[in-house]
Amino acid sequence: MGDFQPTTTLPRPAGAPSPDWSKVTSFVSAGDVTWDTFPDLLTVEDDSLYLYPGTGDGKADTPVKLGATGWARTDLLAPGDADGDGLADLWLRDGDSGDLFQILNSTDNPGNALGETDRRARIAEGLTRAAHPQLGADGDLTGDDHGDLWIQTATGRPTIVAGQRDPAAGTVFRGPYPKATLGDAAQRKGVKLSTSGDFNGDGKTDLISLWNNGRLALQDGNGTGGLSTPSNLVTP
């Protein structure tokens, strides 16, 4: 299990649209989208998309508004480098239609390109919030060097949707979508929320989940879609 350090507050930088983070409806640590080697933060607040450039010291710089309006019902996902050009890209789910869109970053305008609506390309559909309250993207889950998507049903069951690399279009999900259950569904009965990432430093995507009874547990990923037995971080 990875070591978890005490939490620290990310200071709200000067120039932010409000004095605190309470108006943020979606956010994602998107990786280095500005091509300066520091990980950056993307948020949706006040119906707009904002980029908070990372400073490399646990803080964020003055935000840049990338998308003016129409983002309020959007869920942000961080797929990493979806097209192999060395820049972190962006996926987003339309909360009304359930469509999943990809916006590829650009070496000509790194970071700012993610707010250009004409760069959106639909890569999956039917992933409504009602059917899939939680979804995430943290790179390759299946060991084939393609970015994948994980989705969670209303009952807490997580499923992998395997991505396919298109040289011209980045990562795509062509229906019927190849799916596989992520981990043991029985072990995850009663899961309310999940988040993914490499929490133990082995280069593979893991899952931290919150159960309805207040249990918080970590499941280590094996890189091919398998998860370990949940290891409690917080017990009810």
Side-chain angles (χ1 to χ4, degrees):
M1 181 188 300
D3 294 325
F4 292 85
Q5 303 300 318
T7 59
T8 57
T9 300
L10 178 65
R12 190 75 160 162
S18 60
D20 57 40
W21 300 96
S22 62
K23 292 186 177 181
V24 173
T25 56
S26 182
F27 69 94
V28 67
S29 178
D32 179 18
V33 303
T34 56
W35 224 8
D36 63 358
T37 73
F38 301 133
D40 307 305
L41 178 71
L42 292 169
T43 71
V44 173
E45 42 193 309
D46 292 334
D47 198 29
S48 300
L49 177 69
Y50 286 88
L51 164 64
Y52 289 80
T55 58
D57 59 357
K59 299 178 182 179
D61 209 341
T62 302
V64 178
K65 182 185 283 190
L66 301 182
T69 59
W71 292 81
R73 294 279 295 167
T74 298
D75 299 319
L76 304 179
L77 295 88
D81 181 9
D83 60 347
D85 67 352
L87 284 172
D89 303 303
L90 177 65
W91 291 350
L92 55 97
R93 174 172 65 172
D94 184 309
D96 294 317
S97 69
D99 291 340
L100 184 70
F101 294 91
Q102 177 171 253
I103 302 180
L104 296 178
N105 211 340
S106 169
T107 55
D108 295 328
N109 194 19
N112 293 299
L114 299 179
E116 299 174 7
T117 56
D118 59 351
R119 298 179 68 86
R120 289 189 184 187
R122 186 169 63 183
I123 57 175
E125 58 189 14
L127 303 174
T128 64
R129 286 178 174 177
H132 303 288
Q134 296 290 313
L135 73 171
D138 289 277
D140 179 20
L141 294 170
T142 57
D144 62 0
D145 293 326
H146 302 318
D148 303 309
L149 176 73
W150 65 264
I151 57 179
Q152 182 171 299
T153 66
T155 60
R157 177 186 178 187
T159 302
I160 295 173
V161 184
Q164 304 165 54
R165 176 65 61 82
D166 184 309
T171 299
V172 296
F173 299 94
R174 296 191 176 95
Y177 308 133
K179 296 183 180 180
T181 300
L182 182 59
D184 186 338
Q187 291 181 345
R188 297 182 52 79
K189 185 177 181 180
V191 166
K192 179 180 180 181
L193 297 171
S194 296
T195 188
S196 57
D198 179 14
F199 300 117
N200 59 14
D202 66 354
K204 301 179 179 65
T205 298
D206 312 308
L207 215 59
I208 289 180
S209 302
L210 175 66
W211 273 253
N212 288 321
N213 64 358
R215 177 192 187 193
L216 187 71
L218 168 70
Q219 291 179 272
D220 297 325
N222 65 6
T224 58
L227 291 173
S228 68
T229 299
S231 178
N232 289 341
L233 302 175
V234 175
T235 54

